[in-house]
Amino acid sequence: MSFWLFSALGVTVAFLQSVFYPPKYIVCSPSANIYTVDEANPRVQCISVAGSRIVNTGDYFAIRDTEYHTFGFLEPFLPTSVYDILSPQVITLPPQSILVPGLADAHAHVIENGFKMQLQLETARSVADVINLLVSYLHAHPEIKIDPTRWIEGLGWDQTKWPGAQFPTQADFEEEPVLAGRLIALRRVDVHALWVSKRVLELAGELPSNIEGGVIVRDEKGNPTGVLVDNAMSLVPLPKWSEEQVSMYFETTIQAALEFGITSIHDAASEPAIISFMKKQADKGSLPIRLYLMGNIASDDYWGGEIPRLINYGRHGRLNVRSVKLFTDGALGSWGAALLEPYSDRPDTTGLMRSSKEVLAKLIQQFWKDNWQVNIHCIGDRANNVALDIFEDIIVGQNLTEVDVALWRPRIEHSQIMTPDDILRIGRLGVIASVQPTHADMWYAETRLGPDRMKGAYAYQSLLQVSPNKVLPLGSDFPVEGVNPLVGFYAAVSRLSVDGTSPHGPEGWFVNERLTRAQALKGMTLDPAYASFADHDLGSLTPGKKADFVVLDRDIMTLPVQEILQTKVCATVIDGRVAYGTLRQ
C-alpha cells in the first residue's frame, strides 16, 4: 500500500517539478576544460543549467549528487520514463574542446558592419584595386549599374596600405568610364574619412573654406580633392538607410556574431532611429543576442532627453540603453587623432578636436547629473588628456556631493595614445579604459607618433595594472576590424599581425604590453559585463548568472599562439539555449 502511495506521490511531485521548474542539463568536459572566469572556481569539469540560468559548477559527482537530492529519493517510486524525463541530460564534450563564458565585444557598430558587407574594400591594396572592386560590384548589381541616380556606397579603404600611402581623389573615379559621373561615397576603414566622386561634390554645393573639427582636403590650387575628414563628412548629403536596409544589415552582423561565439555587443554610437529599430526587435522577441547601446546624437546641445532609458528591456530582457557616446577627436590613420605635439610625419598638424573642451564639459556634466554612463571616443593623447580633465573635475573637483565612480562607471573608448601621467591618472580616477587589441596600428603608428609617444600607446597591460578593479574591456570596433573575437584575443596575447609578423619581429610588438590569456579572456567576458553594469548577471560561469557560454573546438588557453586563429566555434548558447551550432559533438 505504501509503495503505491509513494508512487502516486512521486508522479505528482514529478509533474509539479516539470511544470514549475525549467528543464535542466549538465555539460561536462572530461579534461576539466571549462574556464569559468570565476575566481572562486576558475576551472571545472561540469556546469548544470536550468532554464536560462547556471545552477551549479564543479565536478560531475558533486553536481549529480546535488541534482539527485532534488527528487532522487523518489526514484524507486517513479516509472522509468518519468524519471528519465526529469533527470538532467548530460552532454559530454570532446576532451580537446573547451567551454568559456559567452564572449562580449565591448566596442562595435552593428548596423555599420552589415552595411560594410555589401561592398567590402579592405582587401584593396591600391586605388586601382578599389576601382576594380566598384566595377565588379556594378556588374553584379545591374539594377544599380543601369540607374545613374543610385548611390554606390562602401566602407573599408585604407590608404596606409597603398603605394605612397596618400589619400585618393575624386578624379580617380572619373578615369573609369563605368564610374564617371556616378554618385559614389566610400568611407575609410575607420569611418573617419569619406572619399566621394565629382558628382557628389557638386551635389554638396559650395563648401566652406574651413569646418571646425574637420578637414576638407584640397589640392595645391585650393580645390576639394574628394576626401573629407571627420566633421567635414557631414557636408555630404548621404542617403538615409531604409528600415529594410537596417534590418538586412542587422541580420548580417548578428548571424556572424553568433557564429563567432559572441553573446553580447556594446554598440558604440546608436542614433535614435537605430535604438527605435532595436526596441522593435526586442518587443517582438527577435533579439537573438544581448545589446548594450550607447546613445548618440551629433549635437553640441544636451540631448539626453531624446534617448530612451531601457534596462533589460524586451521579451527576453536583452536590450539595454543606459549610456551615451561622445566624440573628442578623429583617427590616427587619417591624421585626425588629436595630439599634444605635431605628428612626426605631418609636422603641420596636431590632429582634430571634433568638439571643444567647453562643449564636452557642459555635456558630460549634464549627462552625469541625469545618471547616464558617459563613454568618450579618445584616440590621441590630447583627446585623452581633455577627457580626463573633465572626468577629474566631476569626480574629485568642486562638486558638492561625492561621486561614486563604481556607480557611474565612465569609460574612455580606445584610450589609444596617452601620456605616462595620464595612464596613471585614468587608474587613479577609476575611469574604465575600453580598448581594441586589433587597433594596434603597428605598421604605421611609430611613423605617425615617433618613438617617445609610443611608450604610452596601445599600453594594454599598463592600463590594466593601474585599474583599481583590474578591469580592461576588450572590443574590435567592427567593421573597422573583423567580427571574430578570437582575432582580438590573439592580438592581445601575441602583439602580432595575423600572419605572425610585427615591426619588432616574430616575438611581438612592445611585448611588455601584451596580456596573459587569462587577462584577455576576462577582458572579453567579465570586464565588458562590468563596463555595462551586468557583472552580477553575465561574464562568468557562476551559479545564479545567465547561462551564456561558448564551446570551442580547441583550448585557446594552452595551445601554441599561432594556432589560436584556427579555432572554430562549436556552439554559442544564450539564456541556456543553443543560438548557433550544437552542444553534441
Side-chain angles (χ1 to χ4, degrees):
M1 184 70 175
S2 61
F3 175 82
W4 295 111
L5 178 62
F6 274 103
S7 293
L9 177 61
V11 171
T12 301
V13 171
F15 172 76
L16 293 174
Q17 172 99 6
S18 66
V19 171
F20 294 106
Y21 290 87
K24 295 183 178 181
Y25 62 89
I26 301 172
V27 184
C28 291
S29 165
S31 48
N33 274 349
I34 297 178
Y35 295 90
T36 67
V37 195
D38 181 348
E39 287 184 353
N41 214 7
R43 189 170 176 178
V44 299
Q45 186 181 38
C46 303
I47 63 170
S48 64
V49 175
S52 65
R53 300 278 174 180
I54 297 167
V55 177
N56 210 343
T57 64
D59 66 71
Y60 170 72
F61 293 106
I63 291 179
R64 185 197 65 176
D65 290 347
T66 300
E67 299 295 339
Y68 181 82
H69 285 308
T70 304
F71 60 88
F73 71 95
L74 293 173
E75 180 179 4
F77 310 105
L78 289 175
T80 302
S81 59
V82 174
Y83 187 80
D84 287 346
I85 291 173
L86 291 176
S87 298
Q89 57 176 312
V90 179
I91 301 167
T92 303
L93 302 176
Q96 72 276 12
S97 296
I98 69 168
L99 188 153
V100 298
L103 302 177
D105 193 312
H107 185 111
H109 304 275
V110 172
I111 305 303
E112 289 80 357
N113 184 77
F115 164 78
K116 172 190 175 181
M117 300 309 290
Q118 64 166 344
L119 178 53
Q120 302 178 61
L121 304 175
E122 71 271 17
T123 59
R125 293 297 178 267
S126 65
V127 169
D129 283 352
V130 175
I131 299 303
N132 290 335
L133 286 169
L134 296 184
V135 171
S136 296
Y137 175 78
L138 286 181
H139 288 323
H141 296 82
E143 73 282 4
I144 298 177
K145 182 179 180 182
I146 64 173
D147 185 355
T149 68
R150 297 282 295 271
W151 284 71
I152 303 169
E153 296 186 86
L155 191 158
W157 61 271
D158 183 357
Q159 87 285 356
T160 69
K161 297 179 179 179
W162 303 346
Q166 298 300 309
F167 276 143
T169 70
Q170 52 88 12
D172 297 319
F173 298 126
E174 301 304 310
E175 294 174 3
E176 169 53 56
V178 177
L179 301 178
R182 298 297 302 250
L183 294 164
I184 305 172
L186 307 179
R187 295 160 174 84
R188 192 181 182 277
V189 63
D190 52 25
V191 201
H192 283 271
L194 188 66
W195 171 22
V196 300
S197 63
K198 179 181 178 181
R199 187 175 174 194
V200 171
L201 284 176
E202 293 170 350
L203 191 66
E206 185 176 353
L207 300 177
S209 56
N210 293 293
I211 182 168
E212 186 176 353
V215 171
I216 302 167
V217 180
R218 300 177 183 273
D219 61 21
E220 63 277 2
K221 296 181 180 180
N223 298 316
T225 65
V227 172
L228 303 104
V229 181
D230 288 314
N231 289 356
M233 296 167 62
S234 65
L235 300 171
V236 176
L238 294 172
K240 298 290 186 182
W241 293 328
S242 67
E243 187 158 332
E244 181 182 4
Q245 286 176 302
V246 170
S247 180
M248 178 177 65
Y249 300 157
F250 170 78
E251 292 174 6
T252 297
T253 297
I254 297 305
Q255 184 57 42
L258 292 172
E259 291 176 4
F260 285 124
I262 296 175
T263 60
S264 178
I265 298 173
H266 299 190
D267 195 62
S270 302
E271 297 177 353
I274 299 303
I275 295 175
S276 177
F277 171 83
M278 299 299 188
K279 189 171 180 287
K280 289 179 184 178
Q281 306 310 305
D283 286 333
K284 295 186 296 184
S286 298
L287 277 187
I289 204 167
R290 303 190 193 282
L291 291 176
Y292 185 77
L293 309 184
M294 306 177 198
N296 175 260
I297 294 177
S299 173
D300 286 347
D301 296 320
Y302 183 70
W303 42 265
E306 300 177 52
I307 302 294
R309 195 184 304 268
L310 305 173
I311 308 296
N312 297 331
Y313 180 85
R315 188 177 298 180
H316 300 116
R318 294 175 181 169
L319 180 63
N320 279 273
V321 184
R322 59 185 300 179
S323 67
V324 297
K325 172 76 177 297
L326 302 176
F327 290 86
T328 54
D329 63 346
L332 190 68
S334 49
W335 294 278
L339 302 181
L340 292 167
E341 300 294 336
Y343 277 80
S344 296
D345 61 342
R346 283 272 310 273
D348 61 320
T349 183
T350 58
L352 300 169
M353 285 293 289
R354 297 176 63 182
S355 294
S356 69
K357 185 175 183 178
E358 293 72 27
V359 167
L360 283 169
K362 186 177 179 181
L363 284 173
I364 294 169
Q365 280 274 358
Q366 191 60 52
F367 280 120
W368 166 68
K369 289 178 181 177
D370 287 351
N371 199 31
W372 288 98
Q373 181 193 41
V374 176
N375 306 332
I376 312 181
H377 163 110
C378 299
I379 300 289
D381 52 11
R382 176 159 54 115
N384 279 284
N385 184 265
V386 165
L388 288 173
D389 281 349
I390 297 170
F391 281 143
E392 185 168 28
D393 184 57
I394 293 174
I395 295 168
V396 298
Q398 302 303 313
N399 292 291
L400 298 178
T401 57
E402 184 176 351
V403 176
D404 189 337
V405 179
L407 291 180
W408 187 25
R409 303 187 189 182
R411 296 165 50 165
I412 291 185
E413 302 299 312
H414 308 306
S415 303
Q416 200 160 306
I417 304 153
M418 303 179 77
T419 66
D421 286 345
D422 277 343
I423 289 177
L424 295 175
R425 183 161 61 142
I426 195 174
R428 185 173 69 253
L429 295 175
V431 174
I432 297 170
S434 173
V435 303
Q436 299 75 46
T438 49
H439 266 201
D441 307 310
M442 61 180 77
W443 298 106
Y444 65 84
E446 194 160 352
T447 301
R448 293 275 194 279
L449 301 173
D452 290 340
R453 282 184 289 204
M454 290 306 301
K455 297 172 184 176
Y458 315 95
Y460 307 140
Q461 188 62 244
S462 295
L463 288 168
L464 179 60
Q465 291 308 312
V466 299
S467 168
N469 296 315
K470 296 297 182 284
V471 168
L472 188 74
L474 307 181
S476 67
D477 203 9
F478 68 68
V480 177
E481 307 290 347
V483 176
N484 186 357
L486 293 183
V487 177
F489 182 89
Y490 164 85
V493 303
S494 72
R495 305 280 292 196
L496 293 168
S497 294
V498 293
D499 61 1
T501 63
S502 84
H504 295 172
E507 295 303 312
W509 188 61
F510 296 103
V511 295
N512 57 303
E513 294 295 349
R514 63 186 171 200
L515 303 179
T516 68
R517 300 193 196 201
Q519 290 169 342
L521 181 60
K522 181 170 175 284
M524 302 173 73
T525 53
L526 190 56
D527 291 352
Y530 178 86
S532 57
F533 304 92
D535 47 310
H536 63 288
D537 223 20
L538 304 172
S540 65
L541 303 176
T542 302
K545 287 192 176 185
K546 287 286 191 178
D548 292 5
F549 58 89
V550 180
V551 178
L552 305 175
D553 70 346
R554 64 196 71 194
D555 189 354
I556 60 172
M557 306 301 285
T558 60
L559 54 71
V561 70
Q562 62 269 23
E563 295 180 25
I564 291 173
L565 295 177
Q566 300 171 25
T567 305
K568 305 297 182 186
V569 173
C570 301
T572 303
V573 177
I574 300 178
D575 279 329
R577 295 181 178 273
V578 176
Y580 168 78
T582 178
L583 286 173
R584 298 189 179 277
Q585 307 303 308

